[in-house]
Amino acid sequence: SWSCASRDARHPRPPEHALSAASRRMTTMDAQEAKRRKLEAKMGGGPPPSFPSAVPVPARKEPQPSQPKAPPPATAAEEADPFVCDANDAVSFRLVRTAADMATAEPFEPEFTHQVFREDETIFGYKELRIDIFQSAHLFKTYVKVRFAEKVKSTLNPADDVIEALRAHFGEEMMTDEKTFLSTLEADKDARVPAGG
């Protein structure tokens, strides 16, 4: 018969200090493996430690600081804003020689307005804006008449200064008073056209 003593003699149990050293080695290896997995997960080379069977996660790209961009062209929402208007539609020109021509001269619209107003050829801050530009047909002296139904009242985002934008283009001689312009037309009616033409 088999006795416990003979079984123990053939299969001796390892001493306690040997067990604790081996278990310490396993614990150290497990800790190193856990660190390796955690580092791989951070670097994108392996699954996170809490999901040992997960598919490797690709490295996440950090967002790059964006460069300042030019304002985009007017969107459909901006076009629907009653305080944003198309400058090409708002502006009209008339060439006149006499006071009577002010009412009868055929108006024409500009092809482009980005040289005077915004790059996207809009004007902000007015409802139903109309800009009538009258020029004497022979000397091209300019009178500007601005009309609108309503002007935005915001101090944070004020309306575009239409008169100043036009003055920067036409020069300080540009007139905003109709009587002054009519007087100029009368005074210049017999003036010689420059260069005969």
Side-chain angles (χ1 to χ4, degrees):
S1 70
W2 296 96
S3 69
C4 289
S6 63
R7 199 179 305 138
D8 287 344
R10 276 184 289 154
H11 302 288
R13 296 175 73 187
E16 288 298 321
H17 69 276
L19 281 174
S20 60
S23 64
R24 271 199 306 274
R25 265 196 308 275
M26 288 300 290
T27 306
T28 306
M29 286 174 63
D30 290 346
Q32 287 174 344
E33 178 65 15
K35 278 184 184 177
R36 185 183 67 75
R37 285 185 178 207
K38 195 171 184 181
L39 184 62
E40 278 183 354
K42 274 189 181 177
M43 301 301 287
S50 55
F51 301 102
S53 62
V55 177
V57 179
R60 205 175 81 198
K61 289 185 180 178
E62 291 299 320
Q64 297 295 320
S66 59
Q67 297 295 325
K69 294 179 182 174
T75 62
E78 286 172 327
E79 286 171 4
D81 185 339
F83 287 101
V84 175
C85 66
D86 185 328
N88 295 333
D89 294 337
V91 175
S92 67
F93 286 89
R94 287 178 177 84
L95 295 175
V96 297
R97 290 182 183 274
T98 65
D101 293 343
M102 298 279 285
T104 60
E106 187 70 31
F108 61 93
E109 293 177 346
E111 236 178 280
F112 305 105
T113 51
H114 63 271
Q115 305 93 329
V116 179
F117 301 110
R118 295 173 181 238
E119 278 296 313
D120 62 355
E121 300 186 327
T122 61
I123 300 171
F124 170 75
Y126 306 88
K127 276 186 184 178
E128 300 172 33
L129 178 66
R130 294 299 309 156
I131 302 169
D132 298 311
I133 301 173
F134 298 89
Q135 291 190 300
S136 58
H138 53 323
L139 297 179
F140 290 98
K141 292 185 179 177
T142 306
Y143 159 59
V144 174
K145 180 179 182 180
V146 177
R147 297 172 288 142
F148 50 86
E150 190 179 340
K151 185 176 179 179
V152 76
K153 296 176 176 66
S154 170
T155 52
L156 293 174
N157 197 12
D160 294 344
D161 193 334
V162 172
I163 294 295
E164 282 312 303
L166 289 166
R167 199 180 297 282
H169 186 73
F170 289 117
E172 290 302 316
E173 309 81 35
M174 185 187 89
M175 292 167 256
T176 54
D177 180 69
E178 187 171 348
K179 286 182 180 177
T180 305
F181 182 66
L182 291 174
S183 300
T184 303
L185 283 179
E186 182 62 27
D188 291 345
K189 68 179 180 181
D190 297 324
R192 192 171 70 84
V193 177

